[in-house]
Amino acid sequence: MTAPTINDGADWFTEVCEKGGSAFSLRVRKKLHDEHSPFQHIEIWETTDFGNLMVIDGFVMLSSRDNYLYHEMMSHPALFTHPAPKRVVIIGGGDCGTLREVLKHPGVQHVLQVDIDERVTRLAEEYFPELCASNHDPRAELYFGDGIQWVKDAAPGSIDLVIVDSTDPIGPAEGLFSEAFYRDCHRALGEAGLIVQQSESPLLHYESIIRPMHRSMRAAGFADSVSLQFPQPVYPSGWWTATLAGKQAVVEFRQEDARAKAFATRYYNAAIHNGALAQPEFFLHGRTD
Ligand code: SAM
């Protein structure tokens, strides 16, 4: 018996990763939606085994099957690191999956999601309704506009946590990976303030994104930063990071609260948090401190 190949007659969605000399494919049944919004090209596919798939400008954003890994790791580690997070701002995150996770924390009083493209949210409501289940929570507010400008205009000390859940650093998201943006975040954050940002793959983007991100966050005034690792099968290389920076240390977290959390998660727990903080040798040698 020979192993099936992608030339087996089925239809496949493929994201080519030029930089990695690699590609990732999902078997699809049909394309459910295709549109050019004022900001980007958005596609929704129905796959055979990963549920629905959202693609922006040819890059996989999320699948129904594995988005929980990313959304839980973009939210809970930061929320359990801050001593008492009440005011949270999500920059990007239009699919609302991160918003849903943040709202699981009863101490959070207000979460503002600032995505530049309302169409992403409207399509998520249609094709990923489970991610939008908490959108009508009275603590949630959706605002559609540029996150860079929003942070620039925010009142000093008015936020506890900024979560940057953006597309890759191209197009409207490019400025979200800059020292100037981190400086504005630093000013908008309160005393124990934190920022967490999706920071791509350690295998493919360590020198080009992860390391410069640490440098820029430190240069912007953050006292400490660390990249948390987690698996994300639908992203290039399958190995992903979220980089957490704080006005205070970020490697200690509220372990007891994480252990006693009164809400369900599928991946995150205190042990996973500790594991995600363990640093590969090349991260340690590349650290800017
Ligand atoms: N998990 C995803 C990933 O890493 O591929 C990110 C998902 S989320 C859909 C990314 C969102 O960032 C998009 O909805 C996009 O509209 C938004 N975005 C990009 N640039 C932005 C900006 N400058 N301000 C606010 N939102 C932005």
Side-chain angles (χ1 to χ4, degrees):
M1 195 177 119
T2 52
T5 71
I6 63 165
N7 301 315
D8 62 1
D11 287 326
W12 296 84
F13 167 84
T14 297
E15 177 184 327
V16 172
C17 176
E18 285 295 343
K19 192 184 168 88
S22 60
F24 176 75
S25 295
L26 288 172
R27 192 170 49 215
V28 290
R29 281 206 190 93
K30 58 177 185 265
K31 191 182 263 194
L32 298 169
H33 190 85
D34 190 319
E35 81 173 67
H36 290 268
S37 77
F39 302 98
Q40 48 213 354
H41 179 204
I42 312 171
E43 297 165 75
I44 312 283
W45 292 85
E46 182 185 316
T47 73
T48 57
D49 295 86
F50 277 68
N52 288 347
L53 173 74
M54 182 187 282
V55 177
I56 293 185
D57 291 337
F59 298 107
V60 169
M61 291 290 113
L62 64 135
S63 82
S64 311
R65 185 170 180 183
D66 72 348
N67 74 79
Y68 65 94
L69 296 162
Y70 176 90
H71 289 136
E72 291 182 13
M73 292 306 285
M74 286 293 290
S75 50
H76 304 306
L79 285 157
F80 280 120
T81 300
H82 192 284
K86 293 184 175 63
R87 308 157 299 174
V88 179
V89 174
I90 300 167
I91 304 294
D95 55 72
C96 304
T98 298
L99 175 67
R100 185 185 68 170
E101 294 305 314
V102 173
L103 288 164
K104 288 179 179 176
H105 290 250
V108 167
Q109 292 173 353
H110 185 244
V111 194
L112 175 68
Q113 180 180 286
V114 182
D115 197 294
I116 203 164
D117 194 345
E118 181 168 359
R119 290 302 300 150
V120 174
T121 300
R122 299 302 162 226
L123 291 169
E125 286 167 346
E126 197 173 340
Y127 295 106
F128 300 88
E130 69 285 7
L131 300 184
C132 299
S134 304
N135 286 10
H136 297 294
D137 185 305
R139 299 171 296 157
E141 186 184 346
L142 305 186
Y143 170 77
F144 299 103
D146 180 15
I148 300 167
Q149 190 59 46
W150 191 90
V151 173
K152 210 174 265 177
D153 297 339
S158 61
I159 308 167
D160 297 318
L161 169 63
V162 176
I163 301 178
V164 189
D165 179 0
S166 77
T167 41
D168 298 342
I170 43 174
E174 200 177 340
L176 295 171
F177 291 73
S178 71
E179 186 183 320
F181 172 69
Y182 302 139
R183 236 176 241 294
D184 289 334
C185 289
H186 189 274
R187 191 188 43 80
L189 285 165
E191 208 184 315
L194 297 168
I195 178 173
V196 62
Q197 178 162 20
Q198 78 89 1
S199 45
E200 315 262 320
S201 162
L203 190 68
L204 301 171
H205 309 109
Y206 182 68
E207 289 298 338
S208 59
I209 292 181
I210 298 174
R211 211 170 160 196
M213 185 178 284
H214 281 275
R215 274 202 213 102
S216 302
M217 285 172 164
R218 303 285 181 115
F222 288 98
D224 194 17
S225 61
V226 68
S227 292
L228 296 102
Q229 309 168 70
F230 54 96
Q232 190 58 65
V234 299
Y235 289 169
S237 85
W239 181 18
W240 219 247
T241 55
T243 294
L244 176 64
K247 292 191 172 184
Q248 297 167 9
V250 291
V251 289
E252 301 291 325
F253 67 102
R254 293 183 286 118
Q255 302 239 11
E256 285 314 310
D257 291 349
R259 275 194 197 95
K261 68 183 173 52
F263 54 83
T265 47
R266 291 179 73 188
Y267 183 68
Y268 177 85
N269 57 34
I272 288 285
H273 191 150
N274 277 309
L277 284 167
Q279 300 290 287
E281 286 295 314
F282 71 96
F283 275 25
L284 295 174
H285 296 307
R287 280 190 72 160
T288 51
D289 55 358

